Amino acid sequence: MSATAPAGTMPASAPISDAFRATMRRFPATVTVISACRNGADHGMTATAVTSLSMDPPSLIICLNNRTYLHDMLLEVSEFAVSVLTDNQVSVSEGFSGKIAPEHRFEATDWVRHERGMMVLGSAHASVVCRRMGAVPYGTHTIFIGQVIDTRVCDDTVPLMYENSKYCAPQHALLSPRN
């Protein structure tokens, strides 16, 4: 299916946005929880719009809807964390997606306070702590650029993925036996 228009013309917004939404549902994405702390108050939310940006300096980007509370926090605080969930942490993802009230989200599992102040999931597949270097608004979202200041990875876990409204695991994890 193609939803492109001839050069020099703009397609109707509804058909291309519907086609784009359907296409993006088929892009598997790693499930993360982004967290920050402002004035002693912790907040976090599930996100899949996270990717590396540069190795020099080490940095990543996260994209947040500009109507979220975490978006407003990240405009004010200088640092945030990204915890990559494991394939056994679907309940964490769902909790930080809204099934648990924001003030109770960090009570479950093994969240630990990083020396920089924000909460990081101790049993995460990986975690990255960043200093916010930029915020670029675009449409309904803001692209936050984070320079990496700390990172941790666990070689014995499998990341949680999300595709077509379903949780999944990378194909190599499904084919090889796990201890």
Side-chain angles (χ1 to χ4, degrees), residues 156-171:
D156 299 328
T157 57
V158 174
L160 180 63
M161 307 289 289
Y162 196 74
E163 179 190 16
N164 203 20
S165 299
K166 295 180 189 118
Y167 291 103
C168 54
Q171 191 64 32

Side-chain angles (χ1 to χ4, degrees), residues 23-40:
T23 301
M24 292 309 298
R25 286 175 56 117
R26 297 303 181 131
F27 274 52
T30 305
V31 181
T32 70
V33 171
I34 301 169
S35 57
C37 182
R38 177 176 58 186
N39 301 325

Side-chain angles (χ1 to χ4, degrees), residues 13-80:
S13 62
I16 191 65
S17 65
D18 291 346
F20 181 64
R21 181 175 288 111
T23 301
M24 292 309 298
R25 286 175 56 117
R26 297 303 181 131
F27 274 52
T30 305
V31 181
T32 70
V33 171
I34 301 169
S35 57
C37 182
R38 177 176 58 186
N39 301 325
D42 297 308
H43 189 67
M45 65 178 269
T46 302
T48 55
V50 176
T51 192
S52 62
L53 175 62
S54 172
M55 290 304 291
D56 188 18
S59 52
L60 57 75
I61 59 173
I62 61 174
C63 303
L64 297 178
N65 189 298
N66 58 27
R67 291 180 289 165
T68 64
Y69 183 73
L70 187 60
H71 173 273
D72 294 343
M73 280 182 82
L74 290 188
L75 289 175
E76 293 182 26
V77 300
S78 61
E79 296 172 345
F80 60 90

Side-chain angles (χ1 to χ4, degrees), residues 139-151:
T140 58
H141 285 63
T142 297
I143 303 161
F144 290 93
I145 301 167
Q147 185 172 339
V148 177
I149 55 177
D150 191 19
T151 185

Side-chain angles (χ1 to χ4, degrees), residues 63-133:
C63 303
L64 297 178
N65 189 298
N66 58 27
R67 291 180 289 165
T68 64
Y69 183 73
L70 187 60
H71 173 273
D72 294 343
M73 280 182 82
L74 290 188
L75 289 175
E76 293 182 26
V77 300
S78 61
E79 296 172 345
F80 60 90
V82 177
S83 295
V84 177
L85 302 184
T86 72
D87 62 338
N88 295 318
Q89 294 174 324
V90 170
S91 62
V92 176
S93 173
E94 291 175 343
F96 279 80
S97 293
K99 288 190 175 183
I100 297 175
E103 62 273 13
H104 298 294
R105 291 179 182 169
F106 294 100
E107 293 172 3
T109 61
D110 61 331
W111 289 96
V112 295
R113 188 158 309 279
H114 189 272
E115 64 186 43
R116 307 296 275 211
M118 74 290 295
M119 301 297 277
V120 177
L121 186 58
S123 60
H125 176 68
S127 60
V128 181
V129 175
C130 295
R131 178 176 300 111
R132 179 182 38 80
M133 302 305 291

